[in-house]
């Protein structure tokens, strides 16, 4: 793989990591939203459904973001190390 391809892949993965981070923050921000309405039972059911549906998505996007950032850092360190050797 050429240097230019490695840089392009690193930029793509970095973009994916940043996007996953923003998506994760958006998903976590939904926990601060209070549903409108007068029926407390309906509000509790809605919150329970939203939490159960979004919990796995939050975890998945967090893992994707961390993995992308680790890959970018590792790739950059590897390319610097191999260039000096």
């Amino acid at each position: 793989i050429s240097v230019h391809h490695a840089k392009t892949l690193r930029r793509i993965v970095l973009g994916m990591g940043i996007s996953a981070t923003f998506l994760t923050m958006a998903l976590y921000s939904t926990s601060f939203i209070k549903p409108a309405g007068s029926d407390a039972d309906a509000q509790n059911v809605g919150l329970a459904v939203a939490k159960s549906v979004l919990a796995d998505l939050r975890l998945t996007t967090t893992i994707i973001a961390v993995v992308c950032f680790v890959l970018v850092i590792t790739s950059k360190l590897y390319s610097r190390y191999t260039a000096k050797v």
Side-chain angles (χ1 to χ4, degrees), residues 6-85:
K7 283 183 180 180
T8 303
L9 286 174
R10 194 166 37 242
R11 289 177 183 152
I12 291 170
V13 172
L14 180 63
M16 286 175 48
I18 292 171
S19 298
T21 301
F22 284 132
L23 182 60
T24 301
M25 290 189 304
L27 290 172
Y28 276 109
S29 68
T30 59
S31 63
F32 299 117
I33 298 173
K34 303 291 185 218
S38 60
D39 188 10
D41 291 333
Q43 289 177 358
N44 291 336
V45 168
L47 287 173
V49 168
K51 284 181 182 179
S52 65
V53 168
L54 295 178
D56 289 335
L57 188 56
R58 288 179 195 154
L59 179 64
T60 303
T61 55
T62 303
I63 291 170
I64 289 171
V66 170
V67 167
C68 286
F69 289 135
V70 167
L71 283 174
V72 167
I73 292 169
T74 305
S75 170
K76 186 66 176 176
L77 291 175
Y78 178 77
S79 65
R80 281 190 180 183
Y81 176 73
T82 56
K84 291 181 180 180
V85 173

